[in-house]
C-alpha cells in the first residue's frame, strides 16, 4: 500500500492586492495597440465588397486605406458580408456611439438589389443612415453600386437613381460605381462574378480616394505623403 505524501502549501510571496494590481496593469497594457492612430475616425458601413469577402481581410480595400493613411486617421471597418441597407440602418446607431466617427462611408445596397428588394425602401434606409450620421456630426460619403442587366432596365435604373438622388438631396459626395474598371474585367473578379479579387482591391480604393480625400483634408489630415 502506497503512503500518501503530506501536502505542502507554499504561501504566495505576493500579497493578494499586489497580484490584483499586477493583473490590472497587464490587462491594460495588453489592450494598447502597437501603434495608435491619431486624427479623425473613418467608419465604413458596408457589405461583402468592403468586408474582403473571399480574400484575406488585410488585402481588402479598407485595410489598404488604413495602410495608405499610415496612422493619420483611424479606419474602422464595420462591414458585414450579406448586409442590406435595413441591417446597416439597424446597426449604425451603436457604431456611431461606439466610435464617434468624423467620416462615415456608406457602401450598402448591393444585396438589396441582388434580392430584388424595393428601391424605395432602400432609399428610406440609406436616407436614415445619412441623417443619423450627419446628426452625430460626421461627414458622409455614399459608395454606389450597380446590379446586372438581367434584373431588368426599369429596376436597374430605379436602383441606381437612389444613390444620385440621395447624394443631391443631402449634399454628400458620391462614388457612382464602386467597382468601376473592375466589374467587367474577368481577371479582377472572383469566380462568382460578384466579388473582386485581391488584385482588384487597389483599384477599388482608387475609386473611393477622390471622394474621400477632400473629407479627410477638411478633417485636418495632410495627405501629401498618402497619395
Amino acid at each position: 500500500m502506497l503512503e500518501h505524501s503530506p501536502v505542502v502549501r507554499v504561501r504566495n510571496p505576493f500579497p493578494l492586492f499586489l497580484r490584483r494590481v499586477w493583473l490590472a496593469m497587464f490587462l491594460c497594457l495588453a489592450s494598447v495597440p502597437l501603434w495608435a492612430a491619431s486624427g479623425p475616425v473613418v467608419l465604413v458601413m458596408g457589405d461583402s465588397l468592403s468586408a474582403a469577402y473571399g480574400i484575406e481581410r488585410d488585402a481588402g480595400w479598407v485595410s489598404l486605406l488604413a495602410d495608405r493613411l499610415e496612422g493619420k486617421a483611424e479606419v474602422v471597418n464595420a462591414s458585414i458580408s450579406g448586409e442590406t441597407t435595413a441591417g446597416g440602418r439597424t446597426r449604425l446607431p451603436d457604431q456611431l456611439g461606439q466610435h464617434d466617427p468624423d467620416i462615415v462611408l456608406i457602401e450598402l445596397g448591393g444585396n438589396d438589389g441582388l434580392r430584388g428588394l424595393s428601391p424605395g425602401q432602400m432609399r428610406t434606409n440609406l436616407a436614415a443612415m445619412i441623417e443619423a450620421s450627419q446628426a452625430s456630426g460626421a461627414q458622409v460619403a455614399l459608395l454606389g453600386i450597380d446590379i446586372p442587366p438581367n434584373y431588368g432596365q426599369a429596376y436597374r435604373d430605379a436602383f441606381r437613381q437612389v444613390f444620385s438622388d440621395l447624394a443631391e438631396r443631402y449634399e454628400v459626395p458620391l462614388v457612382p460605381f464602386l467597382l468601376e474598371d473592375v466589374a467587367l474585367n474577368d481577371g479582377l473578379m472572383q469566380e462568382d462574378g460578384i466579388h473582386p479579387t485581391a488584385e482588384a482591391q487597389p483599384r477599388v480604393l482608387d475609386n473611393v480616394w477622390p471622394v474621400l480625400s477632400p473629407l479627410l483634408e477638411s478633417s485636418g489630415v495632410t495627405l501629401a505623403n498618402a497619395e
Side-chain angles (χ1 to χ4, degrees), residues 185-210:
N185 187 331
D186 292 339
L188 296 177
M189 298 296 291
Q190 298 180 40
E191 292 184 1
D192 60 12
I194 297 175
H195 300 96
T197 63
E199 291 74 19
Q201 299 301 313
R203 293 196 187 187
V204 177
L205 175 56
D206 286 342
N207 290 337
V208 176
W209 189 251

Side-chain angles (χ1 to χ4, degrees), residues 1-3 13 25 34 36 41 50 54-55 80 82 89 91 117 140 164 166 175 190 194 223:
M1 183 176 180
L2 296 175
E3 295 183 0
M25 292 177 61
L34 295 180
V41 176
S50 299
I55 61 176
I80 298 178
R89 178 181 181 180
R91 290 195 302 117
L117 302 180
V140 179
S164 56
L166 290 176
V175 176
Q190 298 180 40
I194 297 175
L223 298 174

Side-chain angles (χ1 to χ4, degrees), residues 22-163:
W22 179 87
L23 178 60
M25 292 177 61
F26 174 79
L27 292 175
C28 289
L29 290 173
S31 66
V32 175
L34 295 180
W35 56 269
S38 59
V41 176
V42 180
L43 173 65
V44 182
M45 294 290 298
D47 50 33
S48 56
L49 298 179
S50 299
Y53 176 88
I55 61 176
E56 293 293 331
R57 192 170 181 87
D58 289 346
W61 75 265
V62 179
S63 292
L64 297 181
L65 169 62
D67 293 342
R68 178 178 292 190
L69 291 175
E70 298 179 330
K72 296 177 181 179
E74 178 184 354
V75 180
V76 177
N77 192 357
S79 303
I80 298 178
S81 293
E83 185 74 291
T84 62
T85 58
R89 178 181 181 180
T90 299
R91 290 195 302 117
L92 180 61
D94 180 66
Q95 295 296 322
L96 293 175
Q98 181 178 350
H99 301 292
D100 190 22
D102 300 274
I103 300 170
V104 177
L105 303 182
I106 302 176
E107 182 275 300
L108 289 169
N111 288 306
D112 294 59
L114 293 177
R115 298 178 188 183
L117 302 180
S118 164
Q121 188 58 52
M122 183 177 81
R123 181 193 304 269
T124 298
N125 291 332
L126 290 175
M129 293 184 71
I130 295 172
E131 291 176 3
S133 298
Q134 291 180 334
S136 74
Q139 301 182 84
V140 179
L142 276 177
L143 311 185
I145 195 65
D146 201 352
I147 55 175
N150 61 303
Y151 280 77
Q153 194 60 45
Y155 181 81
R156 189 183 184 194
D157 289 343
F159 177 87
R160 291 188 294 184
Q161 191 68 35
V162 168
F163 297 103

